[in-house]
Amino acid sequence: MKPVRHPDAPAPGELLGAHYGQCFGCGGDQPHGLHLQARAGEGVSITAEFTVRPAHQGAPGLAHGGVLATALDETLGSLNWLLRTIAVTGRLETDFRRPVPVDTTLYLEAEVTAVAGRKIYSTATGRIGGPDGPVAVRADALFIEVKVDHFVQNGREEEIRAAMDDPDQLRRARAFEVNP
């Protein structure tokens, strides 16, 4: 089924912000995190970017492949906010096309391609040298819609309680937005 943007989704161009301060992908409270910045796009798409820092290295001077996969996963997971659905990564298939040097900004684009029941299919690309630069990484993903109980039953109690006690309903909902 063709994906449908939720009527209350952020407007195209709107910065999504961190879904949770401690998130390694987008949270501002993680000193070595990616601090990924995502913006709503047209339809069910987003753009995002992050700059590879020395703490993100694998080989000397190059981004670690796992960090790049994390950036793709975070970007793809943020799409669920446009559907207003809580979902977790079920499958992430990545292709690494070229190295990404430290101090390089990775420009990411992602879109939901289909929704079938609880399954959400999406794809993403990461480019270097600008939004139209060469593709460095790409991914296809399957997300599975879950209830907030998934996090409550499996997360660490202190963090779950802090997120659930947040009086800001929007921040509380977004805390459980992405990742298993």
Side-chain angles (χ1 to χ4, degrees):
M1 180 169 83
K2 184 176 177 173
V4 177
R5 182 189 191 102
H6 192 280
D8 295 330
E14 187 175 330
L15 185 65
L16 299 183
H19 75 271
Y20 179 60
Q22 290 296 323
C23 176
F24 182 78
C26 67
D29 298 338
Q30 285 288 343
H32 298 299
L34 305 185
H35 301 189
L36 189 131
Q37 298 279 314
R39 290 189 181 278
E42 297 294 329
V44 188
S45 71
I46 66 167
T47 59
E49 56 185 66
F50 93 97
T51 301
V52 177
R53 300 290 176 218
H56 304 143
Q57 290 181 81
L62 298 174
H64 189 287
V67 168
L68 297 175
T70 300
L72 289 162
D73 184 46
E74 185 69 28
T75 302
L76 290 157
S78 295
L79 286 165
N80 297 315
W81 190 241
L82 301 180
L83 300 172
R84 287 294 176 102
T85 299
I86 297 172
V88 295
T89 310
R91 181 182 53 83
L92 179 68
E93 182 179 331
T94 57
D95 297 316
F96 301 95
R97 301 262 175 97
R98 63 180 64 228
V100 180
V102 170
D103 294 326
T104 296
T105 298
L106 190 65
Y107 298 88
L108 298 132
E109 294 179 355
E111 68 176 329
V112 174
T113 56
V115 176
R118 293 177 47 224
K119 295 178 180 179
I120 302 164
Y121 298 91
S122 52
T123 189
T125 58
R127 298 173 182 272
I128 56 177
D132 297 320
V135 174
V137 293
R138 65 166 310 283
D140 292 312
L142 167 65
F143 281 79
I144 307 297
E145 183 179 352
V146 297
K147 303 289 184 208
V148 74
D149 292 349
H150 169 86
F151 299 96
V152 173
Q153 293 168 0
N154 295 293
R156 208 164 65 158
E157 187 176 337
E158 305 87 69
E159 282 87 354
I160 297 297
R161 190 176 328 108
M164 294 297 276
D165 289 344
D166 191 324
D168 183 326
Q169 285 186 333
L170 188 60
R171 272 203 327 250
R172 186 177 332 126
R174 289 212 56 213
F176 301 102
E177 176 182 69
V178 295
N179 298 327

